[in-house]
Amino acid sequence: MQRRHFLQHTGALALGLALPYRVQARTTLGFGPARIDMLSDGHLVLPLDFLGAGVPPEELDPILARHGLTGDVYEPPCNLVLLREADRTVLFDIGAGPDFMPTTGQLSDALDALGVRVEDITHLIITHAHPDHLWGLLDDFDEPLLPRAEIFMGRAEWDYWMDPDTVETIGAARQSFAVGAQRRLTEIEDQVQLFEDGAEILPGVQAVSTPGHTPGHMAFALQAGGQGLMVVGDALANPHLAFERPEWEAASDHIPDMAAATRLQLLDRITAEERLILGFHLPGGGIGRAERQGKSRYIFTTEV
Ligand SMILES: [Zn+2]
């Protein structure tokens, strides 16, 4: 164990000082013949009590405090994964677009900064249909942003959001999510290919069913040579509670007990297979690892 590791995992954590993911951040990764860039779509602004609702404060507060979360608001980043290789430019999730929050919808700027044009994107792969991941399907003029790309979405997720009953059954708090998803998905219906758990969507990109956050949420296992990654979407939606107390149920999940079981299974797989994580709402650009700290206990670190 290197000295730096030792300090991070014992001293720093115990004292509640520097967090491992603040040590080093990266937004670009070589991946076999491909290159991966994490694009920022901005960040969400949420009330802090969005986190850990229902958890006793004496258990919750020390964890949040250690991660610097003591105010009223929680501002998680939104990171999109861009994978480029020879003849393919693949985007995972498309961000919030112009109509969700003033602090999101910055995909175009992020693409500009890399010199990538929207027309260059050949494939879009969607983890789930929440606004911050999906509403960017339509641009400022309500036109499809990617009219020529192939779009992939898990069948269960598609069926849930396209079901006319969902608007009625989803509950008042998420009703606008359902209306917004259905409107956008209807616009791109002709471009969509639906897939099941385990499907090889593109060479080296395999669907991993990770339900709970939404009914049909999908993660994606990426393989290039000996290297493995996992695009986790919102199956691991924050760097603190989701890793340190994965079994705690979260109000942000549609099916909280299922989402908790999914987190435990996914973290176990990611660490057993030594995969890097590409996380939508994870800090430092979203590239990192899960380190096992004990039974069902992990930390997220951007030290890769
Ligand atoms: Zn999200």
Side-chain angles (χ1 to χ4, degrees):
M1 184 180 256
Q2 294 168 351
R3 181 170 175 273
R4 191 168 50 165
H5 272 101
F6 178 77
L7 286 175
Q8 273 173 18
H9 296 166
T10 54
L13 273 178
L15 293 171
L17 297 176
L19 293 168
Y21 53 78
R22 292 207 178 125
V23 171
Q24 186 184 43
R26 60 188 304 175
T27 55
T28 294
L29 198 65
F31 183 55
R35 168 180 166 165
I36 285 174
D37 290 280
M38 302 301 280
L39 308 179
S40 174
D41 191 49
H43 64 273
L44 304 178
V45 180
L46 303 169
L48 186 60
D49 57 17
F50 183 79
L51 289 171
V55 175
E58 63 272 21
E59 289 184 54
L60 178 66
D61 292 351
I63 297 176
L64 296 185
R66 184 153 43 74
H67 287 265
L69 296 167
T70 52
D72 297 330
V73 292
Y74 173 51
E75 301 190 341
C78 298
N79 309 304
L80 313 183
V81 178
L82 185 75
L83 182 150
R84 286 181 282 171
E85 54 189 323
D87 53 349
R88 273 199 299 268
T89 298
V90 185
L91 186 63
F92 291 81
D93 289 339
I94 195 165
D99 299 328
F100 184 50
M101 281 186 186
T103 54
T104 54
Q106 297 168 13
L107 170 62
S108 297
D109 292 344
L111 287 171
D112 282 352
L114 279 181
V116 176
R117 298 169 307 162
V118 162
E119 309 85 83
D120 297 334
I121 297 169
T122 54
H123 302 82
L124 170 67
I125 301 178
I126 296 170
T127 62
H128 68 295
H130 274 168
D132 49 327
H133 301 253
L134 184 88
W135 283 16
L137 277 175
L138 300 185
D139 65 15
D140 294 350
F141 304 98
D142 253 5
E143 301 285 344
L145 186 70
L146 306 176
R148 281 174 296 280
E150 285 184 63
I151 301 177
F152 296 87
M153 189 164 167
R155 185 181 301 279
E157 187 72 357
W158 175 271
D159 287 348
Y160 174 73
W161 294 98
M162 289 300 275
D163 182 341
D165 291 342
T166 295
V167 176
E168 302 304 325
T169 57
I170 195 169
R174 295 196 179 101
Q175 213 158 36
S176 65
F177 291 11
V179 174
Q182 212 172 88
R183 183 163 80 81
R184 288 166 177 82
L185 293 176
T186 302
E187 287 288 333
I188 52 105
E189 196 160 6
D190 294 344
Q191 290 168 262
V192 171
Q193 298 183 41
L194 303 180
F195 60 83
E196 317 284 345
D197 181 26
E200 182 102 354
I201 298 168
L202 296 171
V205 179
Q206 190 181 37
V208 180
S209 176
T210 40
H213 180 67
T214 59
H217 187 285
M218 287 281 181
F220 302 97
L222 275 50
Q223 206 67 44
Q227 200 178 359
L229 309 181
M230 188 71 80
V231 177
V232 298
D234 283 4
L236 297 170
N238 63 64
H240 22 77
L241 304 186
F243 285 78
E244 296 179 21
R245 297 293 184 275
E247 75 280 12
W248 283 358
E249 296 185 4
S252 52
D253 296 326
H254 284 234
I255 312 169
D257 58 339
M258 189 186 281
T262 286
R263 278 192 291 276
L264 289 164
Q265 223 172 46
L266 189 59
L267 284 163
D268 187 52
R269 174 173 172 183
I270 287 169
T271 47
E273 297 177 356
E274 297 184 347
R275 288 178 182 273
L276 290 183
I277 292 171
L278 306 179
F280 194 92
H281 295 299
L282 298 180
I287 300 175
R289 286 183 299 119
E291 285 187 1
R292 199 188 288 269
Q293 300 286 294
K295 191 176 181 309
S296 306
R297 294 288 176 267
Y298 301 82
I299 57 167
F300 177 70
T301 169
T302 57
E303 243 194 43
V304 299

